[in-house]
Amino acid sequence: MTIKNRFAMAPMGPLGLADDQGGFNQRGIDYYTARAKGGTGLIITGVTFSDCQVETQSMPNCPNSTYNPVHFIRTSKEMTERIHAYGSKIFLQMSGGFGRVTIPTNLGEFPPVAPSEIQHRWLDKTCRPLKTDEIRSIVKSFGDGAYNAKRGGFDGVQIHAVHEGYLLDQFAISMFNLRTDQYGGSLENRLRFAREVVEEIKSRCGQDFPVTLRYSVKSMIKDWREGALPGEEFEEMGRDIEEGIEAARLLVSYGYDALDTDVGTYDAWWWNHPPMYQEKGLYRPYCKLMKDTVDVPILCAGRMDDPDMALDAIEHGICDLIGLGRPLLADPDYVNKLRTGRLDEIRPCISCQEGCMGRVQEYSMINCAVNPQAARERVTAYAPVMKSRKVMIIGGGVAGCEAARVLAIRGHKPEVYERQPWLGGNLIPGGAPDFKEDDLALAKWYENQLKKLRVPVHFNTEVTKQDVMAENYDCVIIATGSVPKKFSLGDDAHVYTASQVLMKEKECGGTTAVIGGGLVGCETALWLAKQGKKVTVVEAMDQILAVNGPLCHANKDMLKHLVPYHGIEIVTGAKVTEYKDGQLSWKVNGRQQEITCDSVILAVGYKENSGLYQELKYDIPELYLLGDARQVSNIMYAIWDAFEVANSIE
């Protein structure tokens, strides 16, 4: 099979993209087609279950007879025909089940399954071992599903997976597989399940029907439910590198035609779902290892959105294809823009995982924080206007910029007024840490977009009620953002906001205390600790990131582990009382404690800057309040709310 370029859409949870009969709904068809139209050579769908009886889960799309195979084939054919029109290929990713990592909300009343009686990843439950006839029924379901996928126009399948600790991986890893039958013991026996799957598919679909494998070379497990951090020395409890190499050789000998390579498991899931705290291209060393081990194509994803990094990986034999997952959520036209040299037009993924992994976890739907149209392409299509209107936008943060962008695309005439000499609002201090560089890239993208769309931007301009009333705008949008909360501790000359320190307006000294263990406080503390500062985080709640933390647990869990790993002291359940003469005092359970520090950094949240809106709300007929000025939240909701309003103004 020939792919028109070396980019593949990495598989991502397809929640919200299926109908109740196991087929693809219109959202799913539009979503995958948009990425093909955008130039991606190979589309790999999100996970589908070949079997929906053993685990009895309700998961999207089911290509076999458990649901309605004719309906699956019909909706698949409608989608694959559209994708093929753009010269792209598409694989269906098929899973044998989740086993001990089943999402608790999908588990229902049924006990979780696994190779053996082992503990569930999330719940305090013991899994029941799969019976031999259940294994064989799952194997057969793969053959049925792949056969129906081929009938539906799919060019191949990807097996999910000897990867990330899902069911097939649980069989492959001795830590989870305690069986004494033909599916346990030696590595060959532990891989027997995966071997039977590919052999079944090849027997049903032909030897020339591509079957690729999502494959984790190394597990990164320190212990049950405990994962390792980058650079940490630990004893691997799961699959180590030596076994990862041998397993890869065996799997390819069984008939797998390509390895989509990463590392990690759900016990260390910030590896498989890398937040911004992981370096870009983190899987490259492991992909190179696989490239040197087996003679089939190697796919490499994992924050590979830097085109220079991707090109280097191809040219130096690290991999054969570049997998883009979240970057194609952020910008479905990534590949076409790269192909024609329009790199500054590529909307960056910020690895926040708020719209993708976080919403998959919490709301069973996949979206994107920076692209409100992802997986909603049809219902959020830009609405052209019959009459162009002048719109005044006060505030050049993400909400104001997104509103201006959408209005200009639709044909309106927005004009932005910003009191700072730059665009981006709180993206700028938020993007100060090196691991938040993509926040700054997003601000730069908005700047380029507004220039391209010829939207007038007035910098260093503080707008008053009189200014608004004196102008003749058809509509006014207030997007004045938020300001850090402050309170006095005594020695206020050495008490700064996190924003002041991040922007380098204030120097915190060699020893500092961060009051507030939310997202801003923890990221600021981590940034300072990496500079060699001695940092203490003082939090009123009983744990850090208890409120206003990342929606995606991979981001939250990794940050919670990184803070103590980098030597940051954590004090919880503390009520700060005073900072005087270099001494910060607080009480925990009524007991007074204190430390000596050069400064105190306040990271206790933000408050809405909505004063101008309050002055205007009874005077302007069409007036909107957006972003943090309406309600302090995150980047996603600032962008989404702005898109909603700007796309509805007639």
Side-chain angles (χ1 to χ4, degrees):
M1 190 188 75
T2 302
I3 302 170
K4 67 178 183 179
N5 56 48
R6 291 180 182 265
F7 283 105
M9 180 179 180
M12 293 172 285
L15 285 299
L17 308 181
D19 59 31
D20 59 1
Q21 297 183 65
F24 291 91
N25 62 19
Q26 193 62 56
R27 280 195 180 196
I29 294 171
D30 292 340
Y31 165 77
Y32 290 118
T33 302
R35 276 74 199 165
K37 181 181 179 182
T40 308
L42 173 63
I43 306 294
I44 306 174
T45 71
V47 63
T48 66
F49 270 21
S50 65
D51 171 84
C52 297
Q53 293 180 321
V54 174
E55 287 192 330
T56 61
Q57 288 193 63
S58 175
M59 285 296 287
N61 309 121
C62 190
N64 68 28
S65 56
T66 306
Y67 277 90
N68 184 341
V70 174
H71 178 72
F72 173 83
I73 293 165
R74 181 171 57 247
T75 57
S76 295
K77 194 66 173 174
E78 179 183 345
M79 179 173 71
T80 59
E81 285 174 339
R82 291 184 61 190
I83 286 169
H84 290 152
Y86 297 100
S88 299
K89 306 293 185 182
I90 180 166
F91 285 5
L92 182 75
Q93 189 186 68
M94 300 171 60
S95 171
F98 283 14
R100 72 176 283 268
V101 301
T102 304
I103 302 169
T105 53
N106 290 349
L107 195 57
E109 298 300 318
F110 299 95
V113 300
S116 310
E117 290 185 358
I118 56 176
Q119 71 175 48
H120 192 265
R121 168 62 178 91
W122 316 109
L123 304 173
D124 292 327
K125 288 188 175 185
T126 300
C127 302
R128 74 164 180 86
L130 277 181
K131 301 173 184 176
T132 302
D133 61 345
E134 290 177 318
I135 296 172
R136 289 171 180 161
S137 73
I138 294 174
V139 169
K140 182 180 182 303
S141 76
F142 271 104
D144 294 338
Y147 178 76
N148 289 333
K150 186 176 181 180
R151 286 184 63 197
F154 285 95
D155 301 287
V157 294
Q158 180 174 97
I159 304 308
H160 177 279
V162 183
H163 150 83
E164 199 176 355
Y166 289 103
L167 187 60
L168 286 177
D169 206 21
Q170 291 157 41
F171 271 82
I173 295 173
S174 59
M175 176 184 183
F176 304 133
N177 187 341
L178 310 178
R179 301 174 75 100
T180 57
D181 62 4
Q182 67 267 39
Y183 292 99
S186 67
L187 178 60
E188 289 84 351
N189 277 359
R190 285 183 276 121
L191 292 174
R192 186 182 301 276
F193 197 166
R195 177 176 188 165
E196 291 178 350
V197 166
V198 67
E199 289 175 347
E200 178 72 13
I201 294 173
K202 293 287 188 176
S203 71
R204 295 291 303 279
C205 300
Q207 293 299 315
D208 61 347
F209 185 69
V211 182
T212 68
L213 182 72
R214 197 93 163 90
Y215 180 61
S216 298
V217 179
K218 182 174 169 61
S219 302
M220 300 293 183
I221 301 175
K222 292 165 60 177
D223 206 341
W224 294 90
R225 301 178 179 177
E226 288 189 28
L229 292 169
E232 184 176 9
E233 293 186 8
F234 70 102
E235 181 181 352
E236 177 65 71
M237 296 287 289
R239 180 164 48 249
D240 60 20
I241 290 289
E242 182 179 356
E243 185 170 270
I245 292 171
E246 180 58 25
R249 290 194 179 109
L250 288 170
L251 289 162
V252 170
S253 74
Y254 299 156
Y256 285 102
D257 298 305
L259 299 182
D260 191 349
T261 303
D262 66 2
V263 294
T265 60
Y266 269 107
D267 297 82
W269 68 325
W270 48 77
W271 288 97
N272 302 94
H273 304 279
M276 67 281 287
Y277 316 118
Q278 290 275 24
E279 68 173 348
K280 294 209 171 190
L282 67 160
Y283 304 145
R284 286 175 295 165
Y286 307 98
C287 290
K288 176 61 174 172
L289 191 62
M290 291 297 95
K291 186 69 177 160
D292 293 341
T293 298
V294 296
D295 60 354
V296 296
I298 302 299
L299 285 76
C300 179
R303 308 199 70 206
M304 288 292 291
D305 53 341
D306 181 337
D308 292 330
M309 177 185 290
L311 181 61
D312 181 80
I314 296 295
E315 290 183 337
H316 287 86
I318 292 172
C319 61
D320 300 284
L321 287 98
I322 303 298
L324 298 176
R326 293 168 293 174
L328 288 179
L329 289 178
D331 197 329
D333 299 316
Y334 179 104
V335 177
N336 277 343
K337 289 177 179 178
L338 177 62
R339 177 175 59 83
T340 53
R342 296 174 290 145
L343 275 66
D344 63 345
E345 294 184 26
I346 297 174
R347 175 166 32 198
C349 165
I350 59 175
S351 298
C352 65
Q353 309 210 96
E354 289 293 310
C356 50
M357 194 64 193
R359 283 173 75 86
V360 164
Q361 290 169 209
E362 300 297 329
Y363 309 121
S364 293
M365 63 178 73
I366 187 166
N367 299 112
C368 178
V370 300
N371 177 14
Q373 294 175 302
R376 307 192 305 165
E377 282 76 15
R378 188 168 300 228
V379 296
T380 57
Y382 296 116
V385 298
M386 299 298 293
K387 180 181 178 182
S388 182
R389 303 178 70 193
K390 290 178 60 181
V391 183
M392 183 182 202
I393 301 174
I394 304 167
V398 287
C401 287
E402 177 69 3
R405 185 188 71 84
V406 174
L407 287 165
I409 287 173
R410 294 182 56 220
H412 287 307
K413 297 177 181 177
E415 203 159 338
V416 178
Y417 294 81
E418 167 56 47
R419 65 184 181 87
Q420 298 287 0
W422 60 75
L423 294 172
N426 285 330
L427 279 178
I428 306 305
D434 54 347
F435 49 82
K436 296 291 287 292
E437 61 181 329
D438 287 321
D439 281 20
L440 300 183
L442 181 61
K444 184 67 175 177
W445 180 79
Y446 273 119
E447 179 185 333
N448 291 334
Q449 286 291 296
L450 297 195
K451 285 180 180 177
K452 178 189 173 188
L453 294 166
R454 299 182 180 179
V455 175
V457 179
H458 306 275
F459 292 110
N460 302 304
T461 304
E462 188 82 42
V463 177
T464 65
K465 177 180 179 179
Q466 291 72 28
D467 295 330
V468 177
M469 300 302 294
E471 297 290 343
N472 186 29
Y473 285 94
D474 299 308
C475 176
V476 176
I477 293 175
I478 307 293
T480 43
S482 59
V483 293
K485 292 180 180 178
K486 300 179 183 179
F487 52 83
S488 177
L489 288 172
D491 182 10
D492 294 340
H494 295 92
V495 177
Y496 315 128
T497 66
S499 179
Q500 288 176 313
V501 175
L502 290 163
M503 294 292 288
K504 299 185 177 180
E505 296 171 4
K506 300 290 184 179
E507 170 55 50
C508 68
T511 306
T512 189
V514 177
I515 300 179
L519 182 61
V520 173
C522 288
E523 289 187 342
T524 301
L526 180 60
W527 177 62
L528 292 170
K530 286 185 171 184
Q531 299 174 39
K533 312 283 188 183
K534 176 62 178 174
V535 185
T536 301
V537 172
V538 183
E539 167 58 44
M541 305 291 285
D542 61 357
Q543 61 178 317
I544 60 173
L545 296 170
V547 294
N548 300 323
L551 184 62
C552 177
H553 298 181
N555 292 47
K556 181 186 294 185
D557 290 351
M558 186 174 187
L559 185 55
K560 286 177 75 171
H561 283 75
L562 282 171
V563 169
Y565 179 71
H566 283 274
I568 299 167
E569 297 290 331
I570 303 172
V571 180
T572 58
K575 182 180 180 180
V576 175
T577 55
E578 184 181 47
Y579 179 59
K580 185 177 180 181
D581 298 328
Q583 297 286 318
L584 176 66
S585 304
W586 64 81
K587 289 184 178 179
V588 176
N589 297 325
R591 295 181 58 187
Q592 189 79 11
Q593 299 178 15
E594 62 183 28
I595 60 167
T596 300
C597 51
D598 299 323
S599 65
V600 171
I601 300 171
L602 298 178
V604 291
Y606 288 76
K607 61 182 178 181
E608 295 83 0
N609 183 21
S610 60
L612 182 59
Y613 174 83
Q614 300 301 329
E615 293 181 41
L616 291 168
K617 66 180 180 179
Y618 298 117
D619 297 307
I620 304 296
E622 193 166 353
L623 178 69
Y624 300 96
L625 182 64
L626 293 176
D628 276 4
R630 184 179 67 82
Q631 180 179 350
V632 174
S633 186
N634 58 23
I635 293 170
M636 174 173 169
Y637 285 109
I639 293 174
W640 276 44
D641 289 354
F643 183 96
E644 169 64 28
V645 169
N647 202 31
S648 67
I649 293 175
E650 298 178 352

